[in-house]
Amino acid sequence: MTDGQNAPETERVETVWDQNRPRGDETSSSGTSGWLAGINGGDWTTFGAIAAIAFAIGIVNALSGAQDAAWRGDSSDVGRRLLWELTSIIVILLLVPILMLSVRRMRRTTGLAAQIGIGTVALLGFSALHITGMVGLRKFMLWLAGSAYDFHFSLAVVLYEFRKDAVTALLIGATLWLIESRRELRKAARAALSMPAAPLEQPSPDLIWLRDGTSRIRVAPRDILWVASAGNYIEYSLANGTQHLIRGTLAATESELARFAIVRVHRTRLANLDRVSGVDFKPSGDFELTFDTGKTLGGSRRYRPAVASLGGRTAPA
């Protein structure tokens, strides 16, 4: 195969050029406030938006109800309708922090059953407190006005109020869930931006990779003595005596290795001139290279100009 001394072991591998690629750690962490974490500035902004929308809806509902009553010929009593709407809204807004903390607790809890349990307890508590607070507030305000309020307590009335409370709690809870999701995404993005960039591994111009399927061998061009053609394969002969047989062409390998002073010295061979310790020019024009490991490799006169600069190196006797 070559004029040099062959090493006993040969591995078939595939050349992979410039395989060093930048790598970095991917870190994405975010969290939500706990059950007792309290309400922060962003929460108050959310609360204010919900309050503004709720009051607007309540006023519209009261005015619409009064208008409908007037069209039916009933008493519109706008003031009383506003009182019913606004007292309900005030109590709901006072209970929004409970819904907010419940949503956060659910997001921190793993398991659907546990999340449903937390949601159910929060809904029942929300409805009970809403009905109690709403009735108490109406009684108190009408007492101040010299009047009275009768809730007409019954199972049917409680179920009627609970049905409305369930819709209200689900709408507010879903809104808070979406807001928390966006907040976590923003926190994760800020955390990613604030992390110091991982140092990038720069491709080394002094290394190549030889690969056999998923197995890779990193080789320093300095360790290559010669590369020889072997049919549809090329053979790398290294200074430590190992050889690697890979699929490829000598012409393609020559263009890749030329920058490492590995040049063609024969129609079927490339030699690493940096490892040549001596050269013996024959009368025929051919020559023989001696490497610093003691191994030798023959070259043809056609490629003698490639080693002309080595003329001062005399092959050891």
Side-chain angles (χ1 to χ4, degrees):
M1 184 179 300
T2 71
D3 293 343
Q5 301 175 17
N6 294 329
E9 49 181 303
T10 299
E11 303 177 20
R12 287 177 51 182
V13 294
E14 175 188 352
T15 306
V16 183
W17 303 100
D18 295 332
Q19 284 297 303
N20 293 322
R21 296 177 180 174
R23 296 193 299 269
D25 296 333
E26 296 181 1
T27 303
S28 177
S29 60
S30 61
T32 57
S33 301
W35 181 261
L36 300 177
I39 309 301
N40 58 34
D43 298 331
W44 286 115
T45 302
T46 302
F47 179 81
I50 294 176
I53 295 173
F55 277 116
I57 292 175
I59 293 173
V60 170
N61 287 341
L63 295 177
S64 298
Q67 183 66 57
D68 291 341
W71 284 341
R72 293 193 304 268
D74 298 334
S75 173
S76 59
D77 198 356
V78 176
R80 187 173 291 267
R81 292 179 185 277
L82 283 173
L83 178 64
W84 296 166
E85 292 288 342
L86 296 181
T87 51
S88 175
I89 290 172
I90 289 172
V91 176
I92 288 175
L93 293 178
L94 292 175
L95 296 176
V96 166
I98 294 179
L99 295 178
M100 187 176 295
L101 296 176
S102 299
V103 166
R104 289 176 177 172
R105 182 72 175 188
M106 291 174 65
R107 292 177 64 87
R108 295 177 59 236
T109 302
T110 57
L112 180 60
Q115 291 179 336
I116 292 176
I118 294 173
T120 301
V121 172
L123 175 59
L124 293 175
F126 173 84
S127 182
L129 292 174
H130 175 242
I131 295 173
T132 303
M134 174 185 66
V135 171
L137 186 58
R138 290 174 182 176
K139 284 181 176 291
F140 176 71
M141 294 186 70
L142 288 176
W143 174 77
L144 290 178
S147 183
Y149 173 74
D150 186 4
F151 180 60
H152 302 293
F153 182 84
S154 68
L155 179 60
V157 173
V158 171
L159 290 177
Y160 170 78
E161 294 293 340
F162 176 77
R163 184 171 64 248
K164 294 192 297 179
D165 288 343
V167 174
T168 301
L170 288 175
L171 289 176
I172 296 176
T175 301
L176 294 173
W177 189 287
L178 292 176
I179 292 173
E180 285 295 307
S181 297
R182 293 193 62 184
R183 180 178 299 170
E184 290 184 13
L185 289 175
R186 288 195 298 268
K187 288 173 62 177
R190 286 195 299 267
L193 291 175
S194 62
M195 287 182 58
L200 300 180
E201 182 181 344
Q202 298 297 329
S204 172
D206 298 326
L207 292 175
I208 62 174
W209 287 83
L210 305 179
R211 184 176 67 186
D212 180 13
T214 58
S215 176
R216 297 175 179 175
I217 302 170
R218 186 168 62 177
V219 174
R222 169 69 183 171
D223 295 335
I224 300 173
L225 294 183
W226 67 79
V227 182
S229 175
N232 293 329
Y233 296 88
I234 54 176
E235 181 184 65
Y236 282 78
S237 295
L238 305 185
N240 62 3
T242 61
Q243 293 179 324
H244 301 292
L245 191 64
I246 71 171
R247 180 176 291 275
T249 64
L250 194 65
T253 304
E254 178 184 12
S255 64
E256 295 289 352
L257 297 181
R259 56 192 171 121
F260 303 115
I262 300 177
V263 300
R264 191 182 292 262
V265 295
H266 188 275
R267 182 178 59 83
T268 61
R269 293 187 284 276
L270 310 176
N272 188 346
L273 300 186
D274 287 342
R275 299 299 299 258
V276 173
S277 60
V279 57
D280 182 17
F281 294 104
K282 309 294 185 181
S284 63
D286 294 340
F287 54 90
E288 184 178 74
L289 302 175
T290 301
F291 296 94
D292 52 13
T293 60
K295 294 182 179 180
T296 60
L297 180 72
S300 66
R301 60 188 175 190
R302 177 182 175 185
Y303 298 97
R304 183 165 178 165
V307 297
S309 61
L310 305 180
R313 305 182 192 179
T314 304

